Amino acid sequence: MGRKFFVGGNWKCNGTTEEVKKIVTTLNEAKVPGEDVVVVVSPPYVFLPFVKSLLRSDFHVAAQNAWVSKGGAYTGEISAEMLVNLDIPWVILGHSERRQLLNESNEFVGDKVAYALSLGRKVIACIGETLEQRESGSTFAVVAEQTKAIAAKVSNWDNVVLAYEPVWAIGTGKVATPAQAQEVHADLRKWVHDNVSAEVAASVRIIYGGSVNGGNSKELASQPDVDGFLVGGASLKPEFVDIINAAT
Ligand code: G2H
């Protein structure tokens, strides 16, 4: 199958120029398992060109969001065309913070994924259930519905990474156990197998996000269907390097 391990750092709405320089310096000096892992960091928009100019060439950058269609009169938004113009290859879409705080629906996220892909961007598409949904036993129904809305708009999955991020584990320090993560990832891969294709199920990377840190990443990475991570808080710290090395 050969799914290359993928580690994304989602800096969210954090950082000053000085802090950004410090994080990039740490990354540039880090020893990582070369070709065996894809590393993508996602600073806030305003720092994207700056980070891209300083960052080592084997690491990549991602935007944290992009508008759903061609840019224009959408105050405060950033378009996928701008990402093309600035040569920003990746974009995170459908993060639960945007789904919850900004009311992004499954369909809207599906449209955003399709539009970014149509402009040649690579997408980290986020899905995940709330605590209430997990406790009511609807975890997989929720995740399948979110994935279905993406699958409805996407025909080529080569440039899609699926990030399973249980909302109850995000920024809470309450990480999913390796068994909990593996269970959802395996169910999700089966869903892709049954609803998209066996080829896509075998090749699509399903990464885990939610309070990943240097201490828990190795065991999570050992799960057969965990193909990497989307890391928030810990991606701002030197332990991000340990997470990059978790699969080795
Ligand atoms: C989940 C994750 C990064 P954190 O949002 O996407 O954040 O690692 O801080 O839980």
Side-chain angles (χ1 to χ4, degrees):
M1 277 189 279
R3 294 186 297 268
K4 199 185 261 197
F5 202 72
F6 182 102
V7 179
N10 176 6
W11 297 359
K12 305 194 179 182
C13 188
N14 290 295
T16 60
T17 308
E18 284 316 307
E19 286 163 351
V20 162
K21 263 194 216 160
K22 215 169 142 193
I23 299 169
V24 174
T25 302
T26 303
L27 294 176
N28 287 350
E29 289 170 356
K31 275 209 160 81
V32 299
E35 298 284 290
D36 298 336
V37 58
V38 177
V39 180
V40 177
V41 295
S42 190
Y45 292 127
V46 289
F47 297 123
L48 273 170
F50 180 56
V51 170
K52 190 175 161 59
S53 71
L54 293 182
L55 191 66
R56 56 197 288 171
S57 60
D58 55 335
F59 286 8
H60 309 281
V61 285
Q64 295 176 16
N65 180 38
W67 182 237
V68 66
S69 59
K70 191 169 163 36
Y74 306 108
T75 303
E77 288 292 335
I78 302 288
S79 71
E81 288 81 9
M82 292 170 191
L83 302 183
V84 173
N85 181 242
L86 293 173
D87 197 20
I88 306 297
W90 286 90
V91 57
I92 298 172
L93 294 171
H95 192 280
S96 66
E97 284 150 14
R98 296 196 63 88
R99 288 179 186 265
Q100 295 205 306
L101 303 173
L102 296 153
N103 294 321
E104 292 196 4
S105 69
N106 290 349
E107 291 64 36
F108 190 63
V109 172
D111 285 335
K112 282 186 161 194
V113 171
Y115 191 70
L117 290 174
S118 77
L119 289 191
R121 299 310 85 192
K122 299 179 184 188
V123 173
I124 303 167
C126 304
I127 53 182
E129 83 287 3
T130 63
L131 183 59
E132 204 185 1
Q133 289 164 334
R134 174 159 282 261
E135 287 176 343
S136 70
S138 54
T139 293
F140 196 66
V142 170
V143 167
E145 205 52 36
Q146 292 168 332
T147 311
K148 190 176 164 193
I150 295 167
K153 305 278 167 56
V154 170
S155 49
N156 184 340
W157 285 72
D158 291 352
N159 289 332
V160 180
V161 170
L162 281 174
Y164 168 59
E165 301 204 314
V167 177
W168 48 271
I170 295 177
T172 58
K174 237 197 221 176
V175 66
T177 64
Q180 282 173 322
Q182 170 58 24
E183 184 184 25
V184 177
H185 285 222
D187 285 350
L188 194 50
R189 202 175 298 287
K190 184 176 178 325
W191 188 93
V192 174
H193 179 280
D194 297 347
N195 294 278
V196 181
S197 73
E199 292 70 34
V200 172
S203 61
V204 72
R205 279 168 297 194
I206 305 177
I207 63 175
Y208 169 80
S211 296
V212 175
N213 62 37
N216 58 32
S217 53
K218 216 161 175 74
E219 209 188 337
L220 283 161
S222 71
Q223 301 303 306
D225 288 293
V226 174
D227 304 318
F229 301 114
L230 185 56
V231 184
S235 71
L236 301 164
K237 303 176 189 164
E239 70 184 282
F240 187 59
V241 176
D242 300 328
I243 301 170
I244 296 170
N245 285 297
T248 57

